[in-house]
Amino acid sequence: MSTEDSGHPGVPVEYATWRKSRWEEVAGSGGKAGTVQLAMVSHPEPGVPGLPGRWEVSASGVLTLTVTAADGVSIGGRPVTGAVDVESGSQVKLADGRVCFVQGRGGTYGMVVWDPSAPVLTRLRDIASYPYDPSWVVDAEYRATPGRTVEVERLTSPRSTETASAPGDLVVEIGGREYTLVVVETVPGLRMAIFTDPSSGADTPEIGRWLILPPDEGSALRVDFNQVILPHHVFSTAFPCPIPLEANHLPVVVDAGERAPVLDERNRSTVTEPDKKGQDGTMEPELTEKAVQYLRHLEKFDFASMRAMCADTATVWHNDGKGEQTIEANLEQLEQMSSGGGVVALRYEITRQFQKPDEVLQQHVLHINMPDGSGTELPVAMYFGFKDGLIDRIEEYANMMPPDEGNVSGDS
């Protein structure tokens, strides 16, 4: 991990200590970056998919694991065979090097499966953060809202929605203006404000960042935006993290806290396109990054930059029954849509990406704002084909809108 903040003048010791503990939480044994599976088991349903042996909870709440010698399972460094009781807090090591961390209460047990060879963990070199800024340590007010709940989406596949406790609002002053963030408590005792800002999807994750509130139950709080963290989902898709509420979008950039994971591109454990260098000798961005960049240009209606990312032979196809277009015809149609007042704003909320050599498949939700103040959301799958690092083919599969809702179907 980088220690750029350690010992730097003006950086509190407490912050440097927090950075080290945060690194251990993400990259240490059992950390978020190595987590490949989350599972639950309770009585009377036995079994945990993907794990050897038979896991079952008795009617009295005891967790038992039954394995054979061939399974190669050990607990506490000792090989186990047959049926053995597994206590909460145990670490079960599997033959392939994975470790299952077990925690349980009241007859229900949760398993965190950690893999030392997980792709992100083996490539993770640092967690990029904004420079420490004492001005982001601010006084805030916590306004309790007992009994309140909100509907939150989770990054599952397909997306899921759940009712979560929203026990209060966090009122903070940024740049002389007061903003209110809804606080959610998806895990008992863990209160957090999940927010987005103009950096989301560009310098920071599309799915926002987390501000964990101190445990103080009082109304007056001291919060440190320098300790804003990345969602667990950024390090492992095993975590079905909650998506920030629309109300929690801050119109000002929070240039404090964690920004993005820093990955070693020379140590890839998945099959991706070979490294390529640009004419200036620097490494070109991943194709997944280029796909995102293309859509960010569209959000800004920067059609010249979009065209520069495409090959001369690029074609575009939508599932609207109209066939395919040249890239020039598609961009002309998009420009007419934006200049004609049909759409005020577009925002792409990217949920999943898959990459193969010269190909990217992406799922996202397209948020569309109309001139009359109305808005809509489209779940979309988009395919990008690349040729020599340029986009050569775009295919978009969207839930089509009725014609009277605006000329935006499949054209973005």
Side-chain angles (χ1 to χ4, degrees):
M1 182 192 75
S2 168
T3 56
E4 61 183 20
D5 290 314
S6 301
H8 192 281
V11 175
V13 174
E14 294 81 2
Y15 174 74
T17 301
W18 173 81
R19 284 266 286 168
K20 291 178 180 178
S21 65
R22 172 64 178 157
W23 174 255
E24 186 64 24
E25 176 191 355
V26 171
S29 178
K32 305 298 186 292
T35 299
V36 294
Q37 182 182 355
L38 303 176
M40 299 286 291
V41 63
S42 60
H43 181 77
E45 297 297 328
V48 179
L51 298 185
R54 180 180 176 86
W55 301 73
E56 54 189 335
V57 178
S58 68
S60 60
V62 177
L63 174 63
T64 301
L65 171 62
T66 304
V67 294
T68 65
D71 289 322
V73 173
S74 64
I75 300 178
R78 296 182 178 181
V80 296
T81 303
V84 60
D85 292 344
V86 182
E87 297 180 353
S88 178
S90 296
Q91 297 182 21
V92 181
K93 187 171 183 180
L94 310 181
D96 59 6
R98 290 179 297 162
V99 180
C100 183
F101 295 84
V102 180
Q103 292 289 339
R105 183 175 59 180
T108 298
Y109 292 82
M111 286 86 166
V112 175
V113 183
W114 181 81
D115 187 348
S117 62
V120 172
L121 178 62
T122 57
R123 296 170 55 197
L124 188 64
R125 295 295 172 263
D126 196 3
I127 304 173
S129 299
Y130 291 100
Y132 180 85
D133 184 347
S135 68
W136 279 109
V137 183
V138 299
D139 291 320
E141 181 185 358
Y142 179 76
R143 297 174 181 171
T145 55
R148 184 180 65 175
T149 61
V150 293
E151 294 296 309
V152 297
E153 284 190 280
R154 282 194 175 271
L155 287 167
T156 54
S157 181
R159 288 281 189 89
S160 60
T161 303
E162 71 174 29
T163 301
S165 172
D169 291 327
L170 182 70
V171 182
V172 295
E173 184 178 299
I174 301 175
R177 292 191 59 184
E178 188 176 273
Y179 300 98
T180 300
L181 297 172
V182 177
V183 175
V184 295
E185 190 173 355
T186 57
V187 176
L190 180 64
R191 301 178 301 168
M192 59 183 179
I194 308 172
F195 70 90
T196 55
D197 67 355
S199 76
S200 301
D203 201 34
T204 62
E206 179 87 16
I207 56 176
R209 292 181 291 160
W210 297 356
L211 174 63
I212 308 298
L213 271 61
D216 183 10
E217 293 296 333
S219 60
L221 298 179
R222 187 78 167 161
V223 295
D224 188 352
F225 280 89
N226 293 287
Q227 294 187 18
V228 161
I229 65 173
L230 300 173
H232 302 337
H233 192 87
V234 170
F235 302 102
S236 170
T237 55
F239 293 100
C241 291
I243 297 172
L245 303 171
E246 289 287 342
N248 278 16
H249 178 74
L250 292 171
V252 293
V253 173
V254 178
D255 52 356
E258 295 180 346
R259 291 173 43 229
V262 179
L263 303 180
D264 184 354
E265 296 301 324
R266 297 168 299 177
N267 182 25
R268 299 179 184 170
S269 56
T270 55
V271 178
T272 57
E273 181 183 66
D275 287 335
K276 293 183 178 180
K277 289 188 177 182
Q279 294 181 353
D280 60 358
T282 59
M283 298 306 299
E284 291 191 354
E286 286 281 331
L287 297 185
T288 50
E289 297 174 11
K290 289 186 177 182
V292 174
Q293 187 179 32
Y294 184 83
L295 297 179
R296 296 294 171 245
H297 290 321
L298 178 51
E299 289 176 338
K300 299 175 182 177
F301 301 124
D302 184 356
F303 303 109
S305 295
M306 293 169 67
R307 183 64 185 89
M309 296 186 67
C310 298
D312 292 339
T313 56
T315 54
V316 181
W317 176 90
H318 303 104
N319 63 325
D320 57 3
K322 298 179 181 179
E324 67 179 37
Q325 300 173 295
T326 64
I327 187 63
E328 285 82 6
N330 179 251
L331 293 179
E332 181 179 354
Q333 183 176 349
L334 289 171
E335 188 168 4
Q336 291 175 351
M337 177 189 73
S338 62
S339 62
V343 171
V344 173
L346 302 173
R347 181 168 67 87
Y348 288 86
E349 179 188 342
I350 297 159
T351 56
R352 302 176 74 192
Q353 287 184 311
F354 305 89
Q355 179 176 330
K356 288 186 176 181
D358 292 325
E359 295 180 306
V360 171
L361 181 63
Q362 174 175 294
Q363 288 178 283
H364 56 246
V365 178
L366 171 57
H367 300 265
I368 305 173
N369 292 333
M370 307 302 289
D372 61 1
S374 63
T376 190
E377 298 179 356
L378 291 178
V380 180
M382 184 174 282
Y383 166 85
F384 292 87
F386 290 82
K387 181 179 180 181
D388 297 326
L390 296 174
I391 298 172
D392 192 53
R393 176 72 171 177
I394 298 175
E395 297 178 7
E396 184 180 58
Y397 304 81
N399 284 347
M400 310 307 292
M401 297 169 56
D404 61 355
E405 292 192 17
N407 184 26
V408 294
S409 64
D411 292 333
S412 52

